[in-house]
Amino acid sequence: MHELSIAMSIVEMAQEEALHSSYEMACDDTPLRGSRLVIEDVPVVIFCPHCKAQRPLSSIQLFCCAECGTPTSEIVHGKELEVVALEIQ
Ligand SMILES: [Zn+2]
């Protein structure tokens, strides 16, 4: 499992870097050229049908309640994609 967590960290870093690169390309030839993208990770929270409560996710691969291990696909938080702030100087 340790190797899996290392691999997941590498994938996460690669995805974030790919997003930064895509953002830079999308901003090219626009007034946002040279702007900086800051990504804030939001932890995934699911609704557990067994606990009947919102719970953190045990693992992104298993998608189970961290408290009781019940599988669920009902995501409460963690799918958000929103612009929180835009600073202009
Ligand atoms: Zn649960």
Side-chain angles (χ1 to χ4, degrees):
M1 275 318 241
H2 183 63
E3 290 84 0
L4 179 59
S5 67
I6 293 170
M8 289 170 48
S9 296
I10 293 169
V11 169
E12 189 173 306
M13 287 187 295
Q15 286 178 323
E16 192 163 310
E17 184 57 39
L19 182 56
H20 279 102
S21 297
S22 296
Y23 179 80
E24 287 175 15
M25 285 191 287
C27 289
D28 203 24
D29 294 331
T30 74
L32 292 177
R33 184 177 185 169
S35 63
R36 188 168 57 105
L37 176 66
V38 179
I39 299 170
E40 179 183 337
D41 290 330
V42 176
V44 177
V45 176
I46 51 97
F47 180 80
C48 175
H50 181 75
C51 297
K52 299 194 183 329
Q54 295 182 9
R55 299 284 192 220
L57 197 62
S58 62
S59 154
I60 200 77
Q61 274 71 35
L62 300 176
F63 245 79
C64 297
C65 172
E67 297 291 324
C68 70
T70 300
T72 182
S73 60
E74 192 172 339
I75 301 169
V76 179
H77 298 288
K79 293 194 306 186
E80 300 90 342
L81 179 62
E82 64 183 279
V83 176
V84 175
L86 179 63
E87 293 180 20
I88 300 174
Q89 296 177 348

